Amino acid sequence: MSKSLANLTVQQLLPLAFVRGEAVHKRPDDLYIPPDALEVMLDAFEGPLDFLLYLIRKHKFDIVDLPVNDITLQYMEYIELMQGLNFELAAEYLVMAAMLAEIKSRLLLPRHSQAEDDEDDPRAELIRRLQEYEVYKQAATELDSLPRDERDYFGARARLADNFNPLVILPDVQLTELVLALQSIMRRAKDFQHHHIKREHLSTRERMSRILALLQQHHGYLAFADCFELTEGREGVVVSFLAILELTKEKLVEIIQVEVCGQIHVKVARDNR
Amino acid sequence: MIQKINDIQLLQLIEAAIFASEQPLSIAELQATVLQRFSVSNGRIDVTIRQLQQDYSARGIQLQQTASGYRFQTRPELSDDLAQLWPERTARYSRAVLETLALIAYKQPLTRGEIEAVRGVAVGSQIMRSLLDRGWIKVVGHKEVPGRPGLYATTALFLDYFGLKSLSDLPSLPEFTELTADLLPTVEMTGELH
Amino acid sequence: MIQKINDIQLLQLIEAAIFASEQPLSIAELQATVLQRFSVSNGRIDVTIRQLQQDYSARGIQLQQTASGYRFQTRPELSDDLAQLWPERTARYSRAVLETLALIAYKQPLTRGEIEAVRGVAVGSQIMRSLLDRGWIKVVGHKEVPGRPGLYATTALFLDYFGLKSLSDLPSLPEFTELTADLLPTVEMTGELH
C-alpha cells in the first residue's frame, strides 16, 4: 500500500466522538454539552459551516427561516465555552461568529423604504452556503458508501507463466544513419596517415562474404567451379572471380591445384603468416 | 501476417490478459496488444467478454467493466473475510478527504479556493497532495485569475477505484436542484421575517 | 464463534483469496486468514483446491502449486501473445554500434581488429554482441593470423531489414560520388595491421 494512502486514511474513531453521526441526534435537546466533550466534538466538525449545520439540525430549526438570533446566541455560547477551555479556535470559527453577529445587526435595523425590499436578505448568502455545504457533505457520505476497491472488493490477478519472456523492442535504424556513420568514420580516417582510400566494387565485398560462408558450410574446402553461380551470367562470374582473387590477396583463402590441369580447389587459409 | 484464432483460444487469451494486467484493459487495448496479430472484430470481443462474465457469474471473482476497461475483482460478499489477508490495511478516509473529493468529483474543474469556499474551511496541502499522489485527481488547467490557481478534476483511476464507468454514474445530488429553486422564495420572503 | 460454510461458499472464498493475494497462499495461510472464523478441515480445503484446479484446467489461467503455496498463473502457451502487453523498448544504438555496422556492411568481411583500426578506438564485445544478437551480422570465417579472429559479414536479415536486395543497393557516400557513381570507398589496412 502506498504512502499516500496512509495519509488519506484515518485512525479508528475514538469512542468519545459519538457526536458525529446518529449519536448526536439521540442526545437530549438541551443546549448543554459537557466541556470535555466539546473539544472532541469540535475535532469532529469539518469547520464552522459543519458546526452551524449541526446546531440547526440539533434544534430542528428550519434552515429556510434561519433564526439568526437563536443561532448566534448559541454559537457565541459555544465560542465562549471554548475560549474558557483555552481551546485554540480556528480563525474560520471566529469569522463565522462575526458573520452571524453582522447578519443579526442588519436584521435588527429598521427598514425605511420600499427600495430596500430588493436588497438581499442578509441571511440569504449564509443559507445558500449552508445548503450548498450540506449537499456536498451528503455527497461525501454517499461517495464513501459506494462499493470501493480494497474495501468492498479486491483486484483478482494472475501471475505470468514461468516461461514468460518480455517482448524486447529493438531500436530502429534508418539506412541514412548507416551512411552518416560511415561518413563520420571516413572523415576521421582521412586523418590517419597510414590509411589510404581505395575504390572497390561493393558487390565484390559481398561476394567475398558469401564465398567465405559457402566455404564454412563445406568445411573450408570447395571446388573452384563450385564458387560460381553460372545462372548469374558473365557479370556474376566476374564478380565471384574478383572476390576469390581479393580473398587470396587478403590471405583469407588459398587456391590449390595438386597436379597440372587437375581440379582447382579453394581452401580456407591456414597458417600462412 | 494476420492470423486466425478460434473461439476457445480467443477466450483464453482475453481472460489471461485481463488477469495478468495491472490496470483494467479496454477492448481497444486488447486489440492493440494481445490481439494485434489476429483478425478479431470488436463485436467478437464483446461476445467473448459476455461469455466470460457468464462463466464467472457464480464464482468467487467477477469480470467487471470500469471506466478504463475490464478487470476481474472479488465478489463483494467476500470482502469481510478477504480483508483478513491484510490486517494492517485500512480503507477508511477522513471526512476532509471525502468532502474534498466529492466537491472535485461533482463540481470539476475547480480550484482549491473554490473547494475552501464551499467547505468554509482551509483545505490542507497534504489533502490535495495525497489525492494527487493516489492518482485520483489531477490538475487539468489554470484559472485565469490572480495567482493562476490550478483547476482540479478527477481521473479514470478515481472512477476505477470507486467502480464507476463514468462520472454520470455518481449518485445524483437531488437536494442541489431543490436548493436553487428554493433560494428565490426564501429571499423574497424576507419581509415577513423581520 | 466458529461458523459453518457450505462447499460453494468455501470454493468461492478460497478462489477469491488466491486471486486477491499478492503472494501464493498455503493451506495454513488460508486457515489463518480468510478461513479463520470457519471450521474447515485441511482435507476439505484439499478437495476444494482440486476442484478449482479442475475448473480452471481448460481456461486461460491455471491454479498452480508452488513451494510457498497456491497461485493462479497464465497458461504457458499464451506467453508470447501476453508479452505484447508490456513491450520493453531498448535504447537507441550508440554511434559506436552504428559505425561498426556501417563498416561491416561496406567493408565486409573484416575482423574486429580491422574495425578498430579504422575507427581508431576499441570496439567493445557488447557492440559485436548486440549486432550478432540482432541477427544483422555473422562470423563467416576466421582470418589466419595469430588468434584466428572472426571475419564478420552482414546477413540476409540485415538486407531484409533495410529493404535491400543486395549490398550493392547500399547508398553510395555523397562525398565520394564525384569519384565514381557506382564504386564505394574502402579503407585498406596498412601492412602492419594484417
Side-chain angles (χ1 to χ4, degrees):
Chain A
M1 186 150 342
S2 66
K3 196 171 128 242
S4 60
L5 185 61
N7 290 337
L8 283 178
T9 55
V10 286
Q11 299 291 314
Q12 291 284 342
L13 286 181
L14 296 167
L16 262 178
F18 56 86
V19 286
R20 275 182 59 179
E22 286 170 23
V24 164
H25 300 289
K26 286 184 195 135
R27 291 179 65 79
D29 216 25
D30 65 325
L31 285 186
Y32 186 69
I33 295 170
D36 54 341
L38 188 64
E39 193 166 340
V40 174
M41 200 177 98
L42 253 276
D43 269 351
F45 287 115
E46 285 298 318
L49 282 175
D50 198 19
F51 183 42
L52 212 50
L53 263 183
Y54 164 76
L55 290 178
I56 291 165
R57 294 293 177 228
K58 177 177 157 69
H59 297 293
K60 300 187 169 62
F61 292 141
D62 187 345
I63 198 167
V64 175
D65 294 335
L66 202 62
V68 174
N69 257 338
D70 299 353
I71 290 175
T72 310
L73 282 175
Q74 204 153 78
Y75 198 92
M76 298 306 286
E77 211 172 303
Y78 282 126
I79 297 246
E80 272 170 39
L81 203 60
M82 290 182 242
Q83 278 169 329
L85 287 165
N86 290 326
F87 193 91
E88 202 180 314
L89 273 179
E92 291 108 349
Y93 284 90
L94 293 173
V95 168
M96 181 58 72
M99 190 206 266
L100 285 169
E102 198 229 337
I103 292 172
K104 186 181 155 193
S105 68
R106 283 176 63 189
L107 287 172
L108 289 173
L109 285 176
R111 301 167 66 231
H112 295 297
S113 65
Q114 194 66 20
E116 280 185 53
D117 277 352
D118 295 339
E119 202 185 332
D120 283 348
D121 185 322
R123 291 171 298 183
E125 171 62 11
L126 183 59
I127 290 170
R128 189 196 65 75
R129 289 188 63 192
L130 279 169
Q131 288 183 318
E132 187 179 28
Y133 174 69
E134 193 169 33
V135 164
Y136 289 105
K137 184 183 163 177
Q138 183 58 31
T141 310
E142 285 182 34
L143 191 65
D144 195 30
S145 65
L146 286 177
R148 178 163 92 209
D149 200 0
E150 295 180 331
R151 184 188 69 185
D152 304 295
Y153 49 80
F154 303 90
R157 301 277 316 276
R159 291 315 113 116
L160 290 161
D162 295 332
N163 70 342
F164 181 84
N165 278 314
L167 175 73
V168 178
I169 298 194
L170 295 162
D172 265 326
V173 178
Q174 301 297 314
L175 203 48
T176 49
E177 290 179 79
L178 278 194
V179 177
L180 289 172
L182 194 66
Q183 276 179 317
S184 115
I185 297 171
M186 300 311 296
R187 269 194 301 276
R188 290 207 313 275
K190 281 180 195 164
D191 303 333
F192 291 104
Q193 290 299 310
H194 51 287
H195 292 146
H196 68 273
I197 306 297
K198 187 186 147 201
R199 294 175 260 161
E200 192 170 15
H201 260 298
L202 191 60
S203 51
T204 312
R205 307 293 320 175
E206 182 179 34
R207 192 58 55 98
M208 286 163 70
S209 295
R210 234 163 81 182
I211 290 169
L212 277 180
L214 198 66
L215 277 166
Q216 212 173 30
Q217 282 167 29
H218 292 85
H219 311 287
Y221 194 76
L222 200 61
F224 183 73
D226 291 343
C227 297
F228 298 89
E229 187 56 70
L230 293 179
T231 55
E232 289 179 336
R234 184 190 297 267
E235 206 176 316
V237 172
V238 170
V239 171
S240 295
F241 185 67
L242 286 173
I244 293 169
L245 291 183
E246 187 63 30
L247 284 169
T248 315
K249 186 178 147 219
E250 292 189 14
K251 301 185 173 64
L252 295 172
V253 300
E254 288 169 10
I255 298 173
I256 305 161
Q257 191 178 30
V258 181
E259 52 194 78
V260 178
C261 295
Q263 176 86 287
I264 300 174
H265 281 93
V266 178
K267 170 176 178 293
V268 169
R270 296 288 175 223
D271 49 277
N272 49 356
R273 295 283 296 180
Chain B
M1 283 303 274
I2 301 288
Q3 289 174 265
K4 296 249 178 266
I5 183 168
N6 71 34
D7 288 348
I8 292 169
Q9 289 168 326
L10 180 64
L11 184 127
Q12 288 185 347
L13 185 53
I14 291 176
E15 182 182 38
I18 298 174
F19 269 120
S21 171
E22 228 168 293
Q23 303 299 329
L25 280 181
S26 66
I27 289 180
E29 284 166 328
L30 285 166
Q31 289 278 29
T33 57
V34 293
L35 299 179
Q36 67 167 342
R37 68 186 183 93
F38 303 105
S39 149
V40 181
S41 69
N42 284 359
R44 211 174 142 205
I45 299 178
D46 261 335
V47 170
T48 308
I49 282 172
R50 275 204 297 280
Q51 177 66 51
L52 280 170
Q53 278 171 329
Q54 200 187 312
D55 289 355
Y56 282 91
S57 59
R59 303 209 67 94
I61 52 167
Q62 297 169 323
L63 181 57
Q64 287 291 325
Q65 186 177 12
T66 70
S68 47
Y70 293 92
R71 67 172 229 158
F72 282 101
Q73 59 193 39
T74 60
R75 259 186 126 71
E77 307 93 277
L78 303 172
S79 61
D80 286 347
D81 288 316
L82 292 174
Q84 304 294 327
L85 285 167
W86 307 275
E88 78 293 349
R89 186 187 279 186
T90 159
R92 294 185 61 106
Y93 298 96
S94 71
R95 268 184 64 196
V97 165
L98 288 166
E99 287 183 8
T100 302
L101 193 57
L103 269 165
I104 297 173
Y106 284 94
K107 287 188 72 135
Q108 61 187 290
L110 82 174
T111 65
R112 186 158 141 191
E114 287 164 347
I115 298 167
E116 291 175 337
V118 176
R119 295 192 60 229
V121 70
V123 175
S125 306
Q126 80 288 350
I127 288 181
M128 301 310 288
R129 187 74 263 151
S130 53
L131 287 171
L132 285 164
D133 286 350
R134 195 75 220 257
W136 286 352
I137 63 167
K138 63 182 173 190
V139 174
V140 291
H142 292 271
K143 190 156 184 154
E144 289 306 327
V145 294
R148 299 190 75 245
L151 284 162
Y152 294 94
T154 54
T155 62
L157 212 61
F158 160 80
L159 294 174
D160 288 346
Y161 200 83
F162 285 89
L164 304 167
K165 282 202 252 305
S166 77
L167 279 179
S168 48
D169 288 344
L170 277 172
S172 54
L173 293 173
E175 292 169 73
F176 194 66
T177 41
E178 282 171 37
L179 180 92
T180 33
D182 278 357
L183 200 58
L184 207 59
T186 308
V187 176
E188 282 165 357
M189 268 170 64
T190 54
E192 295 96 275
L193 291 169
H194 284 270
Chain C
M1 284 305 277
I2 302 289
Q3 289 172 264
K4 296 249 177 269
I5 183 168
N6 70 34
D7 287 350
I8 293 169
Q9 289 168 326
L10 180 64
L11 184 125
Q12 288 186 347
L13 187 51
I14 291 176
E15 180 184 39
I18 298 173
F19 270 120
S21 170
E22 285 94 14
Q23 304 301 326
L25 282 180
S26 66
I27 290 180
E29 283 166 327
L30 284 166
Q31 289 280 26
T33 56
V34 295
L35 298 177
Q36 66 170 338
R37 68 186 182 93
F38 303 104
S39 148
V40 181
S41 70
N42 283 359
R44 211 175 142 204
I45 299 177
D46 259 337
V47 170
T48 308
I49 283 172
R50 275 204 296 281
Q51 176 67 51
L52 279 172
Q53 276 171 329
Q54 200 187 312
D55 290 353
Y56 282 92
S57 58
R59 304 210 64 97
I61 48 166
Q62 296 169 324
L63 183 55
Q64 294 284 330
Q65 185 172 12
T66 69
S68 52
Y70 294 92
R71 69 174 194 193
F72 283 99
Q73 62 183 45
T74 57
R75 253 187 132 71
E77 306 94 280
L78 302 172
S79 290
D80 285 348
D81 285 317
L82 292 176
Q84 303 284 344
L85 280 168
W86 308 275
E88 287 176 17
R89 267 166 217 290
T90 48
R92 297 190 58 77
Y93 287 126
S94 65
R95 207 173 96 166
V97 171
L98 290 173
E99 287 188 4
T100 302
L101 181 61
L103 270 177
I104 295 172
Y106 282 89
K107 177 76 178 89
Q108 62 189 282
L110 81 174
T111 66
R112 189 160 135 188
E114 288 163 346
I115 297 167
E116 289 174 342
V118 180
R119 291 194 58 234
V121 287
V123 174
S125 315
Q126 78 286 353
I127 289 178
M128 303 311 287
R129 188 77 262 151
S130 65
L131 290 170
L132 285 164
D133 286 349
R134 185 85 193 239
W136 283 351
I137 64 167
K138 63 180 175 191
V139 174
V140 290
H142 293 271
K143 189 149 187 162
E144 291 307 326
V145 294
R148 299 190 72 245
L151 283 160
Y152 294 95
T154 53
T155 62
L157 207 63
F158 167 85
L159 292 176
D160 288 345
Y161 184 90
F162 290 98
L164 304 169
K165 279 198 286 289
S166 80
L167 278 183
S168 32
D169 290 342
L170 272 175
S172 52
L173 292 169
E175 55 185 276
F176 295 104
T177 44
E178 63 267 26
L179 296 176
T180 162
D182 197 28
L183 298 182
L184 276 147
T186 300
V187 178
E188 195 182 61
M189 302 306 120
T190 55
E192 305 94 83
L193 290 167
H194 282 276

